[in-house]
Amino acid sequence: MTSNTQAPAIILVEPQMGENIGAAARAMLNFGLTDLRLVDPRDGWPNDRAIPLASGADVVLEKARVFDTLNEAIADLQHVYATTARPRDMIKRVVTPNGAGGEMRSSIDKGEACGILFGKESWGLSSDDITYADTIITVPLNPDFSSINLAQAVLLVGYEWYQQADDTPQSVIKNEERLATKKELVHLFTRIENELDARGYFDSIMNRRPVILANMRNMFHRFNLMETDIKAMQGIIKGISRPRKKDD
């Protein structure tokens, strides 16, 4: 048996329902995980009930491998993590999914194969299962209600694994438009300045004029205006510059 050292293996120990295996496969593929290993699935494998819940993650289902024992499923791995929310009477290091994601990235970069154990739906991993793991993963959840299903657990751990190498900006403006150029900003500043001068805004505070204009420029620069924002501002200035309508 060979392992895919480019990503951790997802090992479902005694999964009970095909639907849950399919949902777990869907969660896996969202984060580029395709090495699915099933240990003694209750309803056998392949299982047609997994297909609808996989929602197109067929590559994961097709590549899934079945093992009689957990020992066989992890034989080629060098680092094994066990997911559990319950405290155990054993001494093992406990990490969050985020911490595990970073560790697995580091191990895999060194060519060391990793795997993550998930227990059956009704009770999770047994204490005996966990003895085969180096490290426990526990998801920080509401202590008064920490119940998540199999697919959710796979999703959470897979997400943290994926995030370790994701460079998506924390904040972006989802817009096809470009940022305004400095030339467009200067034109806007000049337009505002001219309109204020035309209405005698600075007549009584001429000594404050440089400070007010500097503050205005700094303010607009902080906004990271888009091209369409400049056009909108120009339209607003044009509108408020018109003479007021006479009352009927």
Side-chain angles (χ1 to χ4, degrees), residues 1 9-18 20-22 24-25 28 35-47 50 60-70 72-74 116-118 121 150 154:
M1 178 180 64
I10 300 298
I11 305 153
L12 308 185
V13 182
E14 299 179 13
Q16 297 170 297
M17 299 176 62
N20 291 331
I21 296 173
M28 287 174 61
D35 186 356
L36 175 60
R37 307 181 186 190
L38 308 176
V39 179
D40 190 24
R42 184 190 68 181
D43 297 337
W45 191 259
N47 188 322
V60 179
L61 300 182
E62 292 166 2
K63 292 176 61 177
R65 292 176 284 172
V66 179
F67 300 86
D68 293 330
T69 66
L70 178 55
E72 294 172 306
I74 65 173
I116 311 165
L117 309 181
F118 296 85
E121 298 90 317
L150 178 59
V154 173

Side-chain angles (χ1 to χ4, degrees), residues 129-140:
D129 294 333
I130 295 174
T131 63
Y132 288 94
D134 307 289
T135 306
I136 288 174
I137 298 176
T138 295
V139 181

